């Protein structure tokens, strides 16, 4: 019996040694890439195609293998697998991260910097917002493969039904407008809707759709992504430049002022709801919508009867001339625990292939992702046979080139974002809070929570 | 190990042959070991090991992105819990849920069981209808109710408005959200318990009711002095299982409210999940888990004690 146990143990040990050796050998010959896109999603397919073309163009180089791991909601599933890989020291060579999360991973020493390994001038090919998103303490870590954008969309039939003087409040697609003008238009729409029997308003529910229900459903980042720009446009922010100071920043007078303007949406008669019904704008229940860039394809493909027009994201103040429109998206990063210089160069070469001008154009064509390369923004087609598509992309293209700003870089961004979205943005909407003092209290409470959590980053 | 397995075999086997036997063959021990191993491995991996890890991590600053930099920080995590307002609120929310849902769900289940126990036409349909929520996924149920309870366009508010009651915010109001979740949870869980009560009702000897009829007892007296005492063991079983189940509330608030509004529906399990995985603060989440586990053990002991007293009474 003892002999048998000994024999089995020796066999298992030998197999594990062989296994280790073969793993190490095979790991050297391939570069693994993990993405958060489902394999059967257009985004997953475009990555798979891009990797395939790399392998075909580099038959003598290391083979690139891609794993598209489906993410749910804010990234769970994919992030859970990544966390497990980090714990087991089995991180892939290249993986994707949402732009604002890069700071947390850099702070933990998990990402490798890219500057010294990139080809000459490659980094400068990215738009400034994407460079800012991937830069921590002056070093570049994340190559954004896709940018994003938010604009205001309106239901053309509903707006056309309004009296001429109200219709005149709607800006053209190449005009800036302010939050106050947006509120004024929303009020007029609501006043008209309540007295009109125009068929365009048959399903009317609320003038503005904000998608705050996504915050309740756990997609906290959407709230921060949509509404932090209100603070930017008022010379404020949610965290200081150092990424870990919130007191005096998130709860500054300027922040309170900006959020008090946002709160105007919830003053009686309310113009927006924290609990709007599903697809409010898509189904003609709201006349206006704060819309992410993904609305364009969604509306054109799935709601062909909806006539939607697009105008710019409103400014907080007419005089503000800084960057103020929401942007940023997922980026490719590399495993910072790789120390072999030669291999790092190969990895960064693959990253460049996945993020060069050509890739950026491909991604727009296949998935409607806003290009992150300056030379590829022209790939945005604003001259199709669909005028709604053309208008929307004209606005989004303008914002990507002129007004997009990256979200702040902070090691504690996920917590910061969740607290801001849940304890401030959503709370104002749910409680229909409109007074400055209460909003200041929400911000002070949020600051208190975040300060406790951020203690660990200050050590 | 041999001694342990021998003892195990001795305890587990109740047949006369094994009870009388003093010696076990090697083959018996090996097969006992074979049967025991898979369960033992699973129990060690998924029960014993996580408990040991939670105890260990609870005293560290384990951050998921820095798995190799764990530092022993003594009672820091436990001290933080005392001042953590959201944690205290999530604990109170969980207690509130248990206190309300257990009696509500059990009384609904018993009421339904009494109805479907009647020998009336079409009762089979009602049994199926009342039981059907028990087979639906909690996520599906939560999504369905979220749509139906929408303050502006939901079916429930439409119905309320038709009968002259103003629209209610339900899940978007801090004062109503938890009660709404309690009602939905009781509705979705009572079907299963109704079936257990029904089995108990079927086992009550009809002669008891006949005797009561002869003595002139009315329906309420029969319910109070025959039905309830006969169902007591089932009732106690359901109180224990429903209470433990209620403490594990997480799906409904996560899907329907995200823990809001104003943290009015966040529960302990949701808090632990969010801190452990979303915020990656495994150390703190482990400390909370540890305290909550101890709390649950105490609750289980109290219920068990009550149950024992009930049995001996």
């Amino acid at each position: 019996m003892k002999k048998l146990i000994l024999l089995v143990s020796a066999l298992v040990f030998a197999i594990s040694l062989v296994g280790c050796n073969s793993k190490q050998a095979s790991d050297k010959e391939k570069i693994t890439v993990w993405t958060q896109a489902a394999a059967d999603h257009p985004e997953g397919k475009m990555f798979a195609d891009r990797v395939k073309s790399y392998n075909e163009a580099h038959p003598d180089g290391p083979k690139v293998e891609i794993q598209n791991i489906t993410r749910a909601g804010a990234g769970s599933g994919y992030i859970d697998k990544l966390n497990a890989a980090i714990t087991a020291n089995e991180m892939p060579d290249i993986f994707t991260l949402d732009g604002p999360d890069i700071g947390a991973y850099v702070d933990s020493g998990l990402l490798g910097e890219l500057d010294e390994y990139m080809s000459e001038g490659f980094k400068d090919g990215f738009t400034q917002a994407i460079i800012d998103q991937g830069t921590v303490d002056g070093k570049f870590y994340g190559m954004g493969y896709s940018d994003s954008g938010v604009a205001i969309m309106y239901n053309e039939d509903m707006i056309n039904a309004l009296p001429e003087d109200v219709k005149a409040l709607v800006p053209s697609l190449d005009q800036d407008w302010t939050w106050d003008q947006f509120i004024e238009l929303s009020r007029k729409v609501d006043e008209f809707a309540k007295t009109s029997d125009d068929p365009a308003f048959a399903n009317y529910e609320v003038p503005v759709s904000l998608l705050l229900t996504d915050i309740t459903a756990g997609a906290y980042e959407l709230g921060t992504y949509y509404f932090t720009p209100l603070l930017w446009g008022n010379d404020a922010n949610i965290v200081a430049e150092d990424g870990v100071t919130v007191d005096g920043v998130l709860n500054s007078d300027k922040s309170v002022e900006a959020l008090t303007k946002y709160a105007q949406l919830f003053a009686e008669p309310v113009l927006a709801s924290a609990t709007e019904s599903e697809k409010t704008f898509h189904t003609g229940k709201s006349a206006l919508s704060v819309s992410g860039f993904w609305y364009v394809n969604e509306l054109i493909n799935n709601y062909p009867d909806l006539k939607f027009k697009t105008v710019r994201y409103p400014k907080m103040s007419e005089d503000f001339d800084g960057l103020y429109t929401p942007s940023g998206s997922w980026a490719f990063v590399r495993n910072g625990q790789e120390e072999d210089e030669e291999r790092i160069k190969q990895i960064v070469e693959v990253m460049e292939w996945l993020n060069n001008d050509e890739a950026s154009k491909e991604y727009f064509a296949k998935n409607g992702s806003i290009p992150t390369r300056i030379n590829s923004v022209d790939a945005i087609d604003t001259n199709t046979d669909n005028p709604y598509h053309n208008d929307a992309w004209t606005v989004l293209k303008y914002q990507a080139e002129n007004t997009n700003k990256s979200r702040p870089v902070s090691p504690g961004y996920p917590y910061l974002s969740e607290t801001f979205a849940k304890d401030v943005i959503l709370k104002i909407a749910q409680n229909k809070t409109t007074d400055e003092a209460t909003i200041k209290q929400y911000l002070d409470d949020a600051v208190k929570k975040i300060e406790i959590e951020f203690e660990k980053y200050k050590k | 190990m041999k001694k342990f397995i021998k003892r195990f075999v001795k305890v587990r086997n109740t047949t006369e042959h094994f009870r009388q036997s003093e010696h076990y063959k090697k083959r018996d021990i090996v097969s006992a070991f074979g049967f025991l191993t898979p369960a033992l491995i699973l129990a060690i991996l998924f029960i014993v090991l996580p408990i040991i890890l939670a105890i260990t991590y609870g005293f560290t600053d384990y951050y998921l992105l820095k798995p190799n930099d764990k530092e022993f920080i003594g009672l820091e995590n436990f001290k933080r819990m005392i001042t953590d307002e959201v944690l205290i609120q999530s604990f109170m929310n969980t207690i509130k849920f248990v206190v309300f849902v257990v009696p509500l769900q059990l009384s609904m289940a018993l009421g339904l069981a009494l109805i479907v126990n009647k020998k009336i036409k079409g009762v089979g349909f009602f049994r199926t209808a009342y039981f059907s929520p028990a087979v639906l996924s909690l996520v599906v149920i939560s999504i369905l109710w979220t749509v139906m309870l929408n303050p502006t366009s939901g079916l429930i508010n439409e119905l309320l408005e038709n009968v002259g009651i103003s629209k209610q915010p339900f899940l978007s109001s801090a004062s109503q959200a938890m009660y709404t979740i309690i009602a939905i949870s009781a509705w979705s869980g009572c079907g299963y318990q109704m079936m257990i009560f029904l089995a108990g009702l079927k086992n009550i000897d009809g002669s008891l009711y006949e005797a009561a009829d002869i003595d002139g007892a009315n329906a309420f007296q029969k319910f109070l002095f025959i039905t309830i005492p006969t169902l007591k063991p089932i009732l106690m079983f359901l109180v224990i299982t429903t209470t433990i189940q209620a403490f594990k509330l997480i799906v409904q608030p996560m899907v329907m409210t995200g823990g809001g509004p104003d943290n009015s529906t966040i529960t302990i399990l949701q808090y632990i999940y969010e801190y452990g995985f979303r915020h990656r603060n495994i150390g703190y989440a482990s400390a909370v888990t540890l305290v909550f586990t101890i709390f649950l053990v105490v609750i289980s002991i109290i219920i068990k004690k009550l149950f024992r007293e009930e049995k001996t009474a």
Side-chain angles (χ1 to χ4, degrees):
Chain A
M1 187 68 174
K2 275 181 187 168
K3 277 181 186 170
L4 185 71
I5 292 170
L6 202 69
L7 188 72
V8 171
S9 306
L11 203 67
V12 170
F13 184 65
I15 290 169
S16 63
L17 278 182
V18 172
C20 284
N21 282 339
S22 65
K23 187 175 182 286
Q24 278 170 359
S26 65
D27 277 353
K28 287 284 173 197
E29 288 157 18
K30 69 177 184 191
I31 289 173
T32 50
V33 181
W34 282 9
T35 84
Q36 84 298 345
D40 57 351
H41 187 272
E43 196 173 11
K45 285 180 187 163
M46 82 193 186
F47 288 135
D49 288 348
R50 194 71 196 149
V51 163
K52 192 178 162 205
S53 67
Y54 178 86
N55 286 332
E56 284 167 359
H58 302 83
D60 301 327
K63 192 176 181 310
V64 181
E65 281 185 6
I66 187 163
Q67 277 189 50
N68 287 317
I69 302 146
T70 309
R71 83 173 195 265
S76 61
Y78 171 74
I79 293 295
D80 292 343
K81 181 158 180 175
L82 198 56
N83 285 338
I86 290 164
T87 307
N89 274 330
E90 284 181 356
M91 269 168 31
D93 300 299
I94 299 169
F95 55 99
T96 53
L97 279 183
D98 196 6
D101 290 346
I102 290 173
Y105 284 75
V106 170
D107 181 70
S108 301
L110 296 168
L111 306 188
E113 58 176 297
L114 302 168
D115 294 272
E116 57 187 287
Y117 303 100
M118 283 187 290
S119 315
E120 185 74 28
F122 188 80
K123 181 176 150 185
D124 298 331
F126 287 106
T127 57
Q128 192 57 48
I130 292 300
I131 294 176
D132 291 345
Q133 170 189 273
T135 304
V136 182
D137 293 333
K139 292 173 186 166
F140 190 58
Y141 291 92
M143 294 187 189
Y145 64 82
S146 166
D147 202 348
S148 65
V150 181
I152 302 293
M153 287 179 180
Y154 62 82
N155 183 313
E156 197 180 22
D157 287 335
M158 284 176 160
I159 296 296
N160 281 343
L162 299 171
E164 287 304 318
D165 59 324
V166 181
K167 236 188 285 182
L169 297 173
V170 181
S172 62
L173 60 88
D174 56 356
Q175 243 182 332
D176 282 339
W177 64 328
T178 63
W179 188 260
D180 288 334
Q181 287 171 312
F182 172 62
I183 296 283
E184 191 190 351
L185 173 65
S186 308
R187 285 221 176 97
K188 299 278 183 194
V189 168
D190 194 48
E191 281 164 19
F192 179 81
K194 281 173 180 161
T195 53
S196 164
D197 54 1
D198 190 285
F201 285 86
N203 296 326
Y204 180 79
E205 190 178 298
V206 68
V208 186
S209 160
L210 297 179
L211 220 65
L212 294 177
T213 42
D214 276 26
I215 304 178
T216 324
Y220 305 111
E221 181 53 20
L222 190 115
T224 306
Y225 168 68
Y226 267 14
F227 299 109
T228 304
L230 300 182
L231 275 67
W232 294 341
N234 207 38
D235 272 332
N237 211 334
I238 54 173
V239 63
E241 278 290 311
D242 65 2
V244 289
T245 306
V246 282
D247 197 14
V249 183
L250 178 61
N251 54 351
S252 69
D253 292 345
K254 291 269 184 189
S255 300
V256 176
E257 189 181 53
L259 288 165
T260 309
K261 286 205 173 194
Y262 157 76
Q264 289 173 334
L265 286 166
F266 310 100
E268 286 293 337
V270 290
L271 304 173
S273 163
T275 54
E276 63 183 61
S277 39
E278 189 83 357
K279 306 282 181 197
T280 322
F281 181 69
H282 305 53
T283 52
K285 290 175 187 159
S286 68
L288 295 145
S289 167
V290 179
S291 311
F293 77 103
W294 56 90
Y295 271 44
V296 183
N297 282 349
E298 192 184 354
L299 293 175
I300 288 170
N301 295 331
N302 304 332
Y303 299 86
D305 296 334
L306 182 77
K307 294 173 185 165
F308 69 94
K309 301 286 276 181
T310 311
V311 292
R312 291 178 188 171
Y313 190 92
K315 279 182 168 188
M316 262 290 119
S317 151
E318 207 173 345
D319 306 325
F320 184 77
D321 60 357
L323 303 172
Y324 70 98
T325 54
S327 80
S329 190
W330 287 68
F332 280 107
V333 294
R334 77 169 178 88
N335 180 348
Q337 283 154 7
E338 178 62 64
E339 287 170 356
D340 182 339
E341 289 287 312
E342 206 46 47
R343 191 165 162 76
I344 294 173
K345 280 179 191 159
Q346 289 175 332
I347 288 168
V348 175
E349 186 189 297
V350 174
M351 290 176 76
E352 286 188 0
W353 181 270
L354 291 166
N355 290 281
N356 62 22
D357 291 356
E358 187 187 283
S360 208
K361 286 177 188 170
E362 260 180 49
Y363 298 162
F364 171 76
K366 289 179 179 170
N367 193 39
S369 312
I370 296 180
T372 55
R373 307 284 297 172
I374 297 163
N375 292 334
S376 309
V377 178
D378 281 343
I380 294 176
D381 191 355
T382 57
N383 196 27
T384 68
D385 55 5
N386 187 321
Y388 304 113
H389 170 279
N390 298 343
D391 281 2
W393 281 110
T394 301
V395 170
L396 290 165
K397 187 176 174 181
Y398 170 82
Q399 292 187 172
E401 286 178 319
N402 298 286
T403 58
N404 267 7
K405 180 179 167 74
S406 73
R407 280 160 282 179
V409 173
S410 162
Y413 185 86
Y415 190 80
L416 171 72
S417 165
E418 179 176 332
T419 310
F420 177 62
K422 219 163 79 170
D423 293 6
V424 180
I425 293 293
L426 187 63
K427 213 166 166 179
I428 289 173
Q430 284 176 330
N431 296 345
K432 298 188 175 90
T433 309
T434 52
D435 67 291
E436 248 184 48
T438 314
I439 291 170
K440 173 83 167 86
Q441 188 59 54
Y442 291 169
L443 287 166
D444 286 341
D445 291 346
V447 163
K448 209 170 116 191
K449 265 175 84 174
I450 296 164
E451 287 274 310
I452 295 170
E453 189 61 23
F454 276 20
E455 273 305 311
K456 63 173 177 272
Y457 305 116
K458 291 177 181 172
K459 281 176 190 167
Chain B
M1 193 64 179
K2 235 178 186 180
K3 206 176 165 188
F4 167 74
I5 291 173
K6 271 185 182 178
R7 194 177 299 155
F8 177 80
V9 173
K10 198 173 180 179
V11 170
R12 296 296 295 175
N13 288 296
T14 52
T15 62
E16 201 58 28
H17 167 73
F18 278 101
R19 236 182 278 141
Q20 285 170 359
S21 167
E22 283 298 318
H23 303 286
Y24 302 103
K25 287 177 188 165
K26 200 180 252 180
R27 205 179 51 192
D28 296 331
I29 295 168
V30 170
S31 40
F33 188 72
F35 283 117
L36 180 65
T37 307
L40 203 61
I41 291 171
L42 289 175
I44 290 170
L45 273 179
F46 296 107
I47 299 170
V48 180
L49 194 63
I51 290 173
I52 294 169
L53 288 177
I55 294 169
T56 318
Y57 293 157
F59 295 93
T60 68
D61 63 352
Y62 184 7
Y63 177 52
L64 207 51
L65 291 186
K66 292 180 181 175
N68 302 324
D69 288 348
K70 292 185 275 288
E71 267 184 37
F72 179 76
I73 53 166
L75 295 171
E76 281 304 309
N77 287 327
F78 298 92
K79 280 185 201 161
R80 182 179 165 181
M81 284 163 60
I82 300 165
T83 54
D84 188 338
E85 287 169 15
V86 183
L87 172 69
I88 294 165
Q89 197 175 350
S90 66
F91 181 74
M92 296 316 289
N93 289 341
T94 310
I95 299 282
K96 186 178 182 181
F97 179 79
V98 174
V99 166
F100 281 92
V101 88
V102 175
L104 180 67
Q105 191 168 325
L106 290 179
S107 49
M108 278 170 73
L110 182 57
L112 290 175
L114 289 169
I115 293 168
V116 297
N117 193 37
K118 300 267 180 218
K119 284 172 187 157
I120 47 171
K121 219 177 172 187
V123 76
F125 167 78
F126 288 106
R127 267 180 214 164
T128 315
Y130 296 146
F131 184 70
S132 57
V135 296
L136 282 176
S137 138
L138 271 178
V139 175
V140 172
I141 287 175
S142 304
I143 293 171
L144 274 173
W145 277 102
T146 308
V147 174
M148 289 203 295
L149 292 168
N150 187 287
T152 43
S153 59
L155 177 73
I156 304 294
N157 268 321
E158 296 287 332
L159 291 173
L160 288 180
E161 225 175 22
N162 283 343
V163 293
I165 301 171
S166 63
K167 287 186 173 180
Q168 298 298 311
F170 294 119
L171 297 167
S172 58
S173 150
S175 58
Q176 292 186 10
M178 185 48 101
Y179 296 107
T180 310
I181 288 177
I182 288 167
I184 293 165
S185 305
W187 168 82
S188 66
C190 72
Y192 170 74
Q193 292 162 346
M194 173 197 78
M195 295 307 276
I196 296 175
F197 273 129
L198 191 61
L201 289 172
K202 295 279 178 208
N203 276 335
I204 299 176
D205 193 344
S207 61
L208 293 172
Y209 290 111
E210 284 166 18
D213 282 335
I214 293 165
D215 289 344
N218 62 28
F220 180 70
Q221 285 168 325
K222 281 191 275 183
F223 174 73
L224 204 64
F225 298 114
I226 298 174
T227 312
I228 290 291
T230 322
L231 287 179
K232 229 167 210 175
I234 290 175
L235 196 62
M236 287 314 296
F237 164 74
L238 289 176
V239 167
I240 293 169
T241 51
T242 314
T243 306
I244 300 297
Q245 196 63 31
F247 273 113
K248 294 196 283 187
L249 175 72
I250 184 168
V251 176
Q252 297 93 312
M254 268 187 101
V255 176
M256 299 170 90
T257 59
D262 289 0
N263 293 320
S264 62
T265 58
I266 189 168
T267 63
I268 282 278
L269 276 201
Q270 188 183 354
Y271 186 87
I272 291 169
Y273 166 78
E274 288 194 351
Y275 250 88
F277 297 101
R278 191 189 288 280
H279 307 315
R280 306 178 177 116
N281 200 335
I282 297 289
Y284 187 55
S286 298
V288 177
T289 307
L290 198 59
V291 171
F292 188 54
T293 308
I294 293 167
F295 173 78
L296 280 187
V297 169
V298 171
I299 291 287
S300 305
I301 291 169
I302 292 170
I303 296 174
K304 252 187 161 183
K305 211 170 159 58
L306 286 174
F307 183 45
R308 212 173 284 149
E309 278 167 7
E310 199 63 43
K311 264 174 83 176
T312 50

